[in-house]
Amino acid sequence: MDSYDFILIGAGHNSLVCAAYLLKAGYKVLLLEKNSIPGGAATTEPLLPDVVSGFKFNPCAIDHLFIHLGPVVRELELEKYGLEYLFCDPVVFCPHPDGKYFLGHRSVEKTCAEIARYSPRDAEKYAEFNDFWQRVIGMLTPMFNAPPKSVVDMAGNYDIAKLKDMFSLMGSADKTLDFIRSMFTSPMDIIDEYFDSEFLKAPLARLAAELSTPPSQKNMAVGSIMMCLRHNPGMARPKGGTGALTEALVCCVKDLGGEIRTDQQVKSVLVDNGRAEGVQLTSGQEYRAKVGVVSSLDAQRLFLHLVDPSDVDAADPKLRDRVARRITNHNEAILKIDCALSEAPRFVNHNHRDEYLIGSVLIADSVAQVELAHTDPNIGRIPLEDPSMYAAVPSMRDPSLAPEGQHTLWIEYFVPYQIAGAEGTGLKGTGWTEELKNQVADRVLDKLAEYAPNVKSSVLARRIESPPELEERIGVLKGNYYHLDMTFDQMMFFRPLPELANYKTPIENLYLTGAGTHPGGSISGLPGRNAARVILQSQRPITQAISDAGDTIKSAAQSLFRVTE
Ligand SMILES: Cc1cc2nc3c(=O)[nH]c(=O)nc-3n(C[C@H](O)[C@H](O)[C@H](O)COP(=O)(O)OP(=O)(O)OC[C@H]3O[C@@H](n4cnc5c(N)ncnc54)[C@H](O)[C@@H]3O)c2cc1C
């Protein structure tokens, strides 16, 4: 039987990041991945090789924002392993039915100039809106980059600029209360407070709702950062597709001596006397971990499916019930459409320019339409009457993804996981069938064609993935694209539950990482990095504390140096 220091379950990007830090600390590490390629929701694949050749698609993530808020790329030297980020500019295009359009550039000034063509007042307010949320981003970044319960780690991440951001938001008692009040509001409240024009409000609502809640969701005003992150630090895509990030991480892990085994589905975690000792695969094979087992599968999958109930109960008799019932996993999921196109979509009624297709392309006609795009799926309805969507033409920014002159189209469309009234039918009893997913995709493409009429005739081939198919492929329960809901009650030290929030579990040497842990879903690598920090601290309390203190002093000195420069 093979033996390692650490075994990581799953080889998504967070697991690979976590493994790299453990390897750097000198441990022997094995990652076990159920699929034939690593990456999970961060891959680039041919998808339709029998139908078209020369096209590369991103079946899941495309736009990378949060990874630029942390040091993972630099610390793991991923550029040395082939990673090259291509920043997008413009960052967002959203055509409006009345002929107006929102074109967001990386530059705030250029974005304001675009808005001013239709509304000088909203342009002025946009600069204010961005300024506020940039300061929030500055304040939150140190928290994203530290384990949520490690106050010392968090404090060490605040340099002078970030402290300034924090104090500018919370200068006096009333200012602090007003800031907290803002955070209790919804994206819709905030957007209405600042702006008048629907052509601007609808795309901002759509982006805010990318945190997976409707624009009216109270306590989720923070979703407003989804547009502001596109200005700073910016939105980028790895050259060659999202899978190029995974490839660089794989090279890094292998270079550091790590092992990745694919087509190895973990069936259970082996626990002996309250201690995680290894894993067993569906094939029956066992692997032993001398120091720890790290799950990049969320707490629900880990404690309800992979650990024997008697072992969970022995560690914490309430845990199974809390994991099953207190963690929320809503019904909203993604129908993913990937197309090979003979030519790029042309927004003929909006003075088409190819630069519209560089960043995210949103179909968001009104805030009300975006609201329904989220609320309908939650009650089991497909919002087919007037589809809103998030699309991209990745080959416009990165021509290596398609044959010359041809393009790829990426569409994310929110649908229910369980269709109301169709219980017990279709795939996994969700109501989803081949016929239905094709009908829905037809409707979505019809809607896109209202703006870009050439899109339908240019589809050479397409691949549609329904929520239960996504669940089957990468294992995410109910097709939840962030593993668990990203609502306020499940973020930071609440993610996934307070007692599991610092990557440790009540079972000794069993750790959690991945999108189901702080700071949550998306391409960031931060759950992986933070988890590694906690694991190393618990294995080597003194040496790790000295090294962390060194890092903290170094970063404080660097920030002071920058300020005095
Ligand atoms: C359709 C879609 C679009 C998205 N778009 C974006 C985007 O544009 N930008 C963005 O930032 N984020 C996006 N996201 C979210 C982002 O991709 C994920 O939050 C992130 O990739 C999660 O990474 P992870 O490593 O935590 O988990 P995962 O990527 O889920 O990795 C977990 C791995 O574990 C494997 N696994 C599961 N069960 C087992 C088992 N029993 N044994 C062994 N291995 C197992 C899986 O196959 C998988 O490889 C999107 C997600 C989806 C689904």
Side-chain angles (χ1 to χ4, degrees):
M1 195 186 310
D2 293 320
S3 174
Y4 296 84
D5 292 327
F6 284 101
I7 289 173
L8 285 89
I9 307 174
H13 85 289
N14 276 312
S15 201
L16 288 161
V17 167
C18 184
Y21 284 99
L22 297 177
L23 286 158
K24 275 164 75 102
Y27 288 104
K28 190 174 174 202
V29 174
L30 169 69
L31 295 99
L32 296 168
E33 167 57 48
K34 84 175 180 72
N35 286 337
S36 54
I37 55 165
T43 61
T44 301
E45 302 172 46
L47 293 187
L48 297 156
D50 300 336
V51 198
V52 283
S53 61
F55 291 89
K56 289 197 239 162
F57 302 94
N58 299 287
C60 292
I62 176 80
D63 288 331
H64 299 201
L65 298 146
F66 289 94
I67 197 164
H68 313 300
L69 292 179
V72 166
V73 172
R74 175 177 48 80
E75 285 178 351
L76 298 182
E77 301 177 274
L78 296 183
E79 285 171 3
K80 186 175 104 183
Y81 297 106
L83 177 66
E84 183 188 342
Y85 266 114
L86 304 173
F87 276 83
C88 296
D89 192 9
V91 286
V92 177
F93 170 69
C94 181
H96 198 65
D98 66 3
K100 296 193 188 95
Y101 59 88
F102 173 59
L103 186 63
H105 295 267
R106 195 166 176 197
S107 144
V108 181
E109 291 71 28
K110 278 177 82 176
T111 306
C112 290
E114 295 279 358
I115 300 168
R117 291 186 303 125
Y118 307 120
S119 168
R121 182 200 168 272
D122 278 359
E124 211 171 289
K125 294 302 280 183
Y126 187 83
E128 259 177 54
F129 174 84
N130 179 62
D131 176 63
F132 176 79
W133 289 107
Q134 286 302 339
R135 284 181 286 138
V136 176
I137 293 168
M139 191 184 101
L140 291 178
T141 302
M143 299 183 197
F144 292 162
N145 279 286
K149 286 185 176 169
S150 304
V151 180
V152 175
D153 277 353
M154 246 178 229
N157 286 340
Y158 277 94
D159 60 18
I160 296 209
K162 297 201 177 67
L163 284 172
K164 267 195 202 155
D165 285 336
M166 185 155 78
F167 289 124
S168 72
L169 294 165
M170 302 203 229
S172 63
D174 282 350
K175 214 171 171 185
T176 305
L177 288 174
D178 204 50
F179 169 69
I180 295 170
R181 187 180 184 283
S182 294
M183 293 296 141
F184 284 160
T185 65
S186 69
M188 204 192 267
D189 294 333
I190 288 279
I191 289 166
D192 281 340
E193 183 186 336
Y194 277 86
F195 307 112
D196 293 332
S197 316
E198 199 69 24
F199 85 91
L200 173 62
K201 292 205 276 188
L204 293 184
R206 171 77 213 200
L207 289 177
E210 284 298 305
L211 289 187
S212 80
T213 53
S216 66
Q217 177 100 17
K218 291 284 181 188
N219 304 328
M220 288 303 289
V222 71
S224 304
I225 67 173
M226 297 305 282
M227 178 63 215
C228 299
L229 286 168
R230 285 168 159 80
H231 296 303
N232 181 35
M235 181 179 95
R237 299 171 186 160
K239 187 173 182 188
T242 286
L245 168 66
T246 296
E247 278 164 30
L249 283 165
V250 165
C251 289
C252 170
V253 162
K254 288 188 176 163
D255 198 30
L256 292 165
E259 259 186 76
I260 303 166
R261 297 198 186 171
T262 52
D263 295 309
Q264 312 267 307
Q265 178 157 357
V266 173
K267 188 175 121 208
S268 58
V269 176
L270 304 170
V271 179
D272 188 20
N273 219 2
R275 228 181 110 96
E277 301 268 316
V279 298
Q280 186 184 46
L281 304 183
T282 46
S283 63
Q285 183 169 359
E286 292 185 2
Y287 291 101
R288 294 281 150 182
K290 285 186 275 190
V291 189
V293 174
V294 186
S295 168
S296 70
L297 280 48
D298 57 81
Q300 289 192 322
R301 283 183 277 172
L302 178 65
F303 291 109
L304 303 178
H305 300 169
L306 295 190
V307 184
D308 191 282
S310 63
D311 290 322
V312 186
D313 292 348
D316 177 350
K318 292 195 178 133
L319 191 64
R320 279 192 306 128
D321 201 44
R322 278 176 61 75
V323 165
R325 291 174 175 272
R326 191 146 169 91
I327 295 176
T328 61
N329 200 343
H330 56 38
N331 198 36
E332 179 196 297
I334 291 175
L335 181 91
K336 183 67 200 324
I337 306 171
D338 284 289
C339 300
L341 301 181
S342 57
E343 60 178 2
R346 278 196 308 275
F347 289 82
V348 286
N349 302 322
H350 293 81
N351 190 23
H352 178 83
R353 298 200 299 271
D354 279 352
E355 66 166 352
Y356 296 167
L357 308 180
I358 296 280
S360 325
V361 177
L362 307 177
I363 300 301
D365 295 348
S366 66
V367 178
Q369 181 209 33
V370 176
E371 180 73 10
L372 280 179
H374 289 269
T375 49
D376 265 2
N378 267 327
I379 54 169
R381 286 202 302 236
I382 306 174
L384 273 186
E385 206 175 302
D386 189 18
S388 164
M389 74 199 77
Y390 184 137
V393 183
S395 50
M396 188 55 80
R397 180 67 185 89
D398 180 359
S400 75
L401 299 174
E404 203 180 335
Q406 302 189 321
H407 287 278
T408 54
L409 175 64
W410 181 107
I411 301 178
E412 167 197 281
Y413 177 61
F414 293 123
V415 293
Y417 172 77
Q418 175 65 60
I419 299 169
E423 291 79 3
T425 66
L427 192 56
K428 294 182 162 202
T430 58
W432 282 102
T433 59
E434 279 296 303
E435 194 189 354
L436 180 64
K437 76 175 187 186
N438 275 292
Q439 280 169 1
V440 176
D442 286 343
R443 177 70 192 103
V444 172
L445 287 169
D446 279 346
K447 175 71 191 184
L448 184 57
E450 286 175 20
Y451 289 100
N454 69 327
V455 81
K456 282 175 68 188
S457 59
S458 59
V459 175
L460 298 170
R462 69 184 197 183
R463 179 242 192 203
I464 302 145
E465 187 172 61
S466 67
E469 288 173 313
L470 175 71
E471 179 179 47
E472 196 59 35
R473 183 166 62 85
I474 59 169
V476 285
L477 291 182
K478 292 175 76 179
N480 193 315
Y481 44 99
Y482 293 142
H483 288 194
L484 307 171
D485 295 353
M486 296 267 277
T487 44
F488 187 68
D489 56 305
Q490 297 202 147
M491 298 304 284
M492 304 281 295
F493 26 73
F494 305 127
R495 191 168 184 84
L497 288 171
E499 62 267 41
L500 299 173
N502 230 35
Y503 312 101
K504 290 182 181 174
T505 77
I507 294 177
E508 211 185 319
N509 291 346
L510 179 61
Y511 300 93
L512 272 170
T513 182
T517 60
H518 169 77
S522 81
I523 301 295
S524 76
L526 295 178
R529 179 178 182 267
N530 290 343
R533 202 167 176 103
V534 166
I535 295 166
L536 295 174
Q537 276 164 352
S538 59
Q539 294 303 324
R540 303 168 167 180
I542 296 175
T543 35
Q544 192 60 30
I546 293 168
S547 144
D548 290 349
D551 288 349
T552 304
I553 292 163
K554 206 163 68 191
S555 79
Q558 276 167 349
S559 85
L560 263 176
F561 205 56
R562 270 201 304 272
V563 166
T564 51
E565 261 173 357

